[in-house]
Amino acid sequence: MSQLPEQPADTSIPTSADVARLAGVSRATVSYVLNNNTTVRISESTRRRVREAASDLGYVPHAAARSLRAGHTRTVLLPAAHVPAGPLQQRFFIDLQSDLRRLDYTVVQYGSGGLDPDEAARAWAELRPVAVVSPVGMALTRVGIGVLTRSGAKAVITLGPQPVDGAHALVMDQREVGSCAVRHLLSGGRSRIGVVMPQEPGLAPFSEPRLAGALRALDETGADARIQPLPLRYEEASAEDLAARWRSLGLDSVFAYNDEYAMLLMRALQDAGVEVPGEVAVIGADDLMLGRLLRPRLSSVRMELATAQPLAEMIDRLVQHPGGAPERHYLLRARAVARESG
Amino acid sequence: MSQLPEQPADTSIPTSADVARLAGVSRATVSYVLNNNTTVRISESTRRRVREAASDLGYVPHAAARSLRAGHTRTVLLPAAHVPAGPLQQRFFIDLQSDLRRLDYTVVQYGSGGLDPDEAARAWAELRPVAVVSPVGMALTRVGIGVLTRSGAKAVITLGPQPVDGAHALVMDQREVGSCAVRHLLSGGRSRIGVVMPQEPGLAPFSEPRLAGALRALDETGADARIQPLPLRYEEASAEDLAARWRSLGLDSVFAYNDEYAMLLMRALQDAGVEVPGEVAVIGADDLMLGRLLRPRLSSVRMELATAQPLAEMIDRLVQHPGGAPERHYLLRARAVARESG
């Protein structure tokens, strides 16, 4: 089989023994230097010689071999999302990776699409991560958490709309989004409130707690009002259907799940001659810039995520001091931004 | 230190020796059964006993140990994106992960935010992947590719707007998007064409080739026309500035980078009294549903990505037969969708 110069066979992979030979030191010294181990006194000139030899040979340490020697890894597993994540979450994960790398962890994202939560936990456990953050939309069970901790994970942290029993939880509580929208509509004098429920797959972990939050806000304020779920597909035909029977529903306002569904529904209402905000107040969520381009400008619920750095520090603390009681941290903040649509 | 029952200490991690003891077989037999090795005859009842013992103990194999024994891993590294990826790319990667898992690879995404391409290559090499797909926006150099192949990667595949010398390339050729938009405008009789250049960081790997494609289309058609780049920030104030001096630019059409920038600019033009499409034709890209909600409905360039499965099969083929000449595959297809805006 022909080999390009830049694709040599396995046998040419440089090992730490090669580095030791070239630098004229022991393998142990190579290991101390390249792992930045400072408990052993090694002269600066020797350290330099080892680094130069490693560089000349193109040697990089083998994470698997190092983790077997150390008995544990520095791997933090951030399972890759099943469902396309929004820009807010993407940014959060990108920041989290940088912060963890600064704390000397190896951050690995592991795909789990098509696996059930227990299968996914077993697949992740094969990588022997020292900490695992499970993704939104993958509800780890106690069985899965047990598999991971028995395989050496010091910290198993679930991330999602709800905490999971027995695990540390980072909660992006979507209920707060629905509560916030409904409190805003109530404060504007509306009382017959529709809540859009998207029919696209994968959105139930978001839409159901938003509806629950909407109901909770009604309950807490004790207002004489009602809430009606409104199934909607993200298609013009579905919005036209809903707009055509709008007046028969007897609603004076709608929380439209997010700004995209709100823009879709508002266009259909306007085309059907239903006046926004006169006949119906409309509020979305995400505070997209595009919503501000509409006339009337779209009111929205703005969400903010906590910064990633405290989470990176929390992971590091849980790895170093495992076994404490499950912790819960709430990451999501929401507030209504009133514009012209209601 | 207190330990919850579901967070036992390291010493309790079950090993294949524990499974062998419980099942009453040798460690080799455990290994054969759990790795689905069919070259050795083992009775179905023994296989079942081993699997039950593994399940009872909560044993999962150690990927690192297995890869050290095998001399290579089945790890395919998909580095996590720096820049927030669009839904089209996210879906592509989710599908690719599933397809690779079906081919018995372990798919790992490794964050590289904050690292330069050579540092990133060294970090990835520590995981000894058998194949690496580099992300859009991370231009691997020949040095980085060399580090990865010397550490055992059989296939290094770059993914991005342009191929990289000496590596297999999956090309999402953004030039095609710009060409497509300009050919559409020219065919509608426009000849003085603005091309929006977003000023947000991280978008240059997309916007620059789109502009290059726009210029190429002009060149190829030999039309008596001109193209003018138009810097724009994704902010209402920036769009208002551009709209206020629009008539002084002498343009009759604009390719607005994508639908979001197109929606922003079209709103500002309309608010400034510039008629769309009468005075200026506007075309975006991405064919978002939201663009269809505007009046006039937004024309757009629709993009399609090849399906992930042939890529998964290509990775598997390159792993099994490394060393061939670099391959190039073009993943992106683009076509103009004419609506009302031009």
Side-chain angles (χ1 to χ4, degrees):
Chain A
M1 190 186 326
S2 77
Q3 294 284 347
L4 288 183
E6 65 270 29
Q7 297 187 321
D10 259 355
T11 49
S12 71
I13 299 176
T15 65
S16 65
D18 300 325
V19 177
R21 206 156 28 237
L22 183 60
V25 300
S26 70
R27 281 189 64 182
T29 301
V30 170
S31 166
Y32 291 138
V33 171
L34 296 182
N35 289 309
N36 293 312
N37 185 325
T38 53
T39 60
V40 181
R41 280 191 65 113
I42 298 171
S43 74
E44 198 38 57
S45 70
T46 301
R47 288 183 186 272
R48 195 164 49 237
R49 212 161 65 240
V50 169
R51 289 204 190 91
E52 283 171 3
S55 170
D56 289 350
L57 290 170
Y59 169 78
V60 287
H62 191 321
R66 194 167 49 189
S67 78
L68 284 178
R69 281 196 304 274
H72 60 84
T73 68
R74 295 283 291 176
T75 300
V76 177
L77 207 58
L78 300 181
H82 306 252
V83 287
L88 200 66
Q89 264 187 51
Q90 284 191 26
R91 170 53 48 197
F92 179 81
F93 275 108
I94 290 168
D95 289 348
L96 180 59
Q97 292 184 16
S98 301
D99 291 335
L100 284 168
R101 252 203 320 275
R102 268 194 288 276
L103 293 169
D104 202 30
Y105 290 95
T106 300
V107 181
V108 164
Q109 289 184 286
Y110 187 86
S112 52
L115 301 180
D116 77 31
D118 291 346
E119 289 169 345
R122 273 190 295 274
W124 302 337
E126 291 196 18
L127 298 173
R128 295 294 189 271
V130 73
V132 175
V133 179
S134 80
V136 172
M138 169 65 81
L140 274 187
T141 66
R142 287 184 71 95
V143 172
I145 294 166
V147 166
L148 286 163
T149 53
R150 273 195 306 276
S151 73
K154 311 279 191 190
V156 177
I157 300 161
T158 63
L159 176 68
Q162 303 292 338
V164 174
D165 272 357
H168 304 293
L170 298 165
V171 188
M172 294 186 179
D173 190 351
Q174 298 290 329
R175 287 175 304 184
E176 191 51 29
V177 179
S179 293
C180 203
V182 162
R183 282 194 303 264
H184 171 78
L185 293 171
L186 291 171
S187 75
R190 312 285 171 150
S191 60
R192 302 185 308 281
I193 304 172
V195 173
V196 166
M197 300 299 284
Q199 298 301 290
E200 278 64 34
L203 296 182
F206 300 88
S207 61
E208 284 171 5
R210 286 184 188 189
L211 176 61
L215 292 163
R216 185 182 63 180
L218 207 63
D219 207 43
E220 283 173 0
T221 54
D224 181 19
R226 67 179 170 92
I227 281 183
Q228 178 169 347
L230 300 171
L232 179 65
R233 294 190 310 280
Y234 191 60
E235 295 164 8
E236 287 177 273
S238 180
E240 283 162 18
D241 280 353
L242 181 54
R245 56 196 173 83
W246 188 263
R247 287 196 171 108
S248 72
L249 298 170
L251 300 174
D252 61 17
S253 54
V254 60
F255 165 50
Y257 177 68
N258 73 10
D259 286 354
E260 289 173 303
Y261 287 84
M263 291 167 82
L264 172 64
L265 180 57
M266 194 159 89
R267 161 56 61 192
L269 289 170
Q270 288 174 319
D271 285 352
V274 179
E275 208 214 328
V276 179
E279 284 184 75
V280 55
V282 179
I283 185 166
D286 288 338
D287 196 24
L288 296 185
M289 207 256 275
L290 295 178
R292 281 172 250 161
L293 305 178
L294 302 186
R295 301 295 177 263
R297 290 175 176 84
L298 185 64
S299 299
S300 191
V301 176
R302 188 183 180 104
M303 285 171 271
E304 272 150 22
L305 277 182
T307 56
Q309 202 181 331
L311 172 56
E313 287 162 5
M314 169 184 150
I315 290 172
D316 189 44
R317 178 169 50 76
L318 294 174
V319 166
Q320 293 187 43
H321 308 286
E327 296 185 14
R328 289 182 186 183
H329 298 274
Y330 289 81
L331 299 186
L332 195 70
R333 297 277 171 276
R335 65 184 171 86
V337 180
R339 295 208 174 86
E340 299 162 358
S341 68
Chain B
M1 189 186 326
S2 78
Q3 295 284 349
L4 287 182
E6 65 271 26
Q7 295 186 323
D10 261 353
T11 49
S12 71
I13 299 176
T15 65
S16 65
D18 298 326
V19 177
R21 207 156 27 236
L22 183 59
V25 300
S26 70
R27 281 188 65 181
T29 301
V30 170
S31 168
Y32 292 138
V33 171
L34 297 182
N35 290 309
N36 292 313
N37 186 323
T38 52
T39 60
V40 181
R41 279 190 65 113
I42 298 173
S43 74
E44 197 39 55
S45 70
T46 300
R47 289 183 185 271
R48 193 164 51 235
R49 211 161 66 237
V50 169
R51 291 206 187 91
E52 281 172 4
S55 169
D56 288 351
L57 290 169
Y59 169 77
V60 286
H62 191 321
R66 193 167 49 190
S67 77
L68 284 177
R69 280 196 306 273
H72 61 84
T73 67
R74 294 285 291 177
T75 299
V76 176
L77 207 58
L78 302 181
H82 304 252
V83 289
L88 201 65
Q89 265 188 50
Q90 283 191 25
R91 168 55 46 198
F92 179 81
F93 275 108
I94 290 170
D95 288 348
L96 180 58
Q97 291 183 16
S98 300
D99 291 336
L100 285 167
R101 251 203 321 275
R102 266 193 290 276
L103 293 168
D104 201 30
Y105 289 96
T106 300
V107 181
V108 163
Q109 288 185 286
Y110 187 86
S112 53
L115 301 180
D116 78 29
D118 291 347
E119 290 170 344
R122 274 191 294 274
W124 301 339
E126 291 197 17
L127 298 174
R128 294 293 189 273
V130 74
V132 176
V133 179
S134 79
V136 172
M138 168 65 81
L140 274 187
T141 67
R142 285 186 72 93
V143 172
I145 294 167
V147 166
L148 286 163
T149 52
R150 274 196 305 276
S151 73
K154 311 282 192 189
V156 178
I157 299 160
T158 64
L159 177 67
Q162 303 293 338
V164 174
D165 271 358
H168 304 293
L170 297 166
V171 188
M172 294 187 180
D173 190 351
Q174 297 291 327
R175 288 175 304 185
E176 191 50 30
V177 180
S179 292
C180 202
V182 163
R183 282 194 303 265
H184 171 77
L185 293 172
L186 291 172
S187 75
R190 311 287 171 148
S191 62
R192 304 185 307 280
I193 303 171
V195 173
V196 166
M197 301 298 285
Q199 298 301 290
E200 279 64 37
L203 295 182
F206 300 89
S207 61
E208 286 171 5
R210 285 184 191 189
L211 175 61
L215 291 163
R216 185 181 64 179
L218 208 62
D219 209 44
E220 284 173 0
T221 55
D224 179 19
R226 67 178 170 91
I227 280 182
Q228 178 170 344
L230 301 171
L232 179 65
R233 294 191 310 281
Y234 192 61
E235 296 164 9
E236 286 178 275
S238 180
E240 284 162 17
D241 280 354
L242 181 56
R245 56 197 173 81
W246 188 262
R247 288 197 171 109
S248 72
L249 298 170
L251 300 174
D252 62 15
S253 54
V254 60
F255 165 50
Y257 176 67
N258 72 11
D259 286 352
E260 290 173 302
Y261 286 85
M263 290 167 82
L264 172 64
L265 179 58
M266 194 160 90
R267 161 57 59 189
L269 289 169
Q270 288 174 320
D271 285 353
V274 179
E275 208 214 327
V276 179
E279 285 184 73
V280 55
V282 178
I283 184 167
D286 287 341
D287 196 24
L288 296 186
M289 206 257 275
L290 295 178
R292 280 171 250 162
L293 305 179
L294 303 185
R295 301 293 177 266
R297 291 175 175 83
L298 185 65
S299 298
S300 190
V301 176
R302 188 184 180 103
M303 285 171 272
E304 272 151 22
L305 277 182
T307 57
Q309 201 182 329
L311 172 55
E313 286 161 5
M314 170 185 150
I315 291 172
D316 188 45
R317 177 169 50 77
L318 294 173
V319 165
Q320 292 187 43
H321 309 286
E327 296 185 14
R328 289 180 186 183
H329 299 273
Y330 289 80
L331 300 187
L332 196 69
R333 296 278 171 276
R335 64 183 171 86
V337 179
R339 294 210 175 84
E340 299 163 358
S341 68

